[in-house]
Amino acid sequence: QVQLVEAGGGSVQAGGSLKLSCAASGDTTSRYCMGWSRQPPGKEREGVAAIDRDGSATYRYSVEGRFTISKDNAKNTLYLQMNSLKPEDTAMYYCAADLLPIGLSRGYAYWGQGTQVTVSS
């Protein structure tokens, strides 16, 4: 089993940046396809970005060019660099992992507890 813990959330103004991290323990991130999902208040959880074992990344269209997902297997950590943040990016952000290539879907086997991101205008 793998445990995931997110960090790096906070409150920023529109146009600002944040870098989220997801520390994995109990297993190595090199075995997993991983992703970031978010859940705005009152809305359904949605996939934001995903990274495969070969390093290839997939992004939700609304964050393309602004967000970058990366994984450092040596540090057992997943990252999400978020630039040019918009109020609509406000959500609880969750880290997820699976042995299968889940991509932007919601069916990951393992989830973190989330970190809150709030973007004001």
Side-chain angles (χ1 to χ4, degrees), residues 11-119:
S11 298
V12 298
Q13 293 192 40
S17 298
L18 282 174
K19 187 173 185 177
L20 307 183
S21 64
C22 171
S25 61
D27 207 347
T28 174
T29 57
S30 65
R31 299 181 61 203
Y32 296 88
C33 298
M34 301 185 73
W36 289 95
S37 296
R38 66 188 182 187
Q39 187 166 18
K43 296 186 176 181
E44 188 173 298
R45 191 174 301 186
E46 62 184 22
V48 175
I51 187 166
D52 211 336
R53 293 183 186 89
D54 64 0
S56 61
T58 303
Y59 299 93
R60 189 175 194 87
Y61 182 79
S62 62
V63 308
E64 280 187 313
R66 299 189 297 122
F67 290 11
T68 302
I69 187 171
S70 62
K71 180 158 62 81
D72 188 336
N73 291 324
K75 296 182 179 180
N76 233 31
T77 303
L78 179 75
Y79 301 96
L80 184 68
Q81 177 67 52
M82 305 185 295
N83 299 325
S84 302
L85 284 163
K86 304 175 180 180
E88 50 262 45
D89 294 320
T90 295
M92 183 72 76
Y93 282 72
Y94 297 90
C95 171
D98 205 295
L99 293 174
L100 298 175
I102 302 300
L104 299 181
S105 300
R106 301 195 303 118
Y108 283 88
Y110 306 101
W111 293 86
Q113 292 183 310
T115 185
Q116 178 68 42
V117 172
T118 302
V119 185

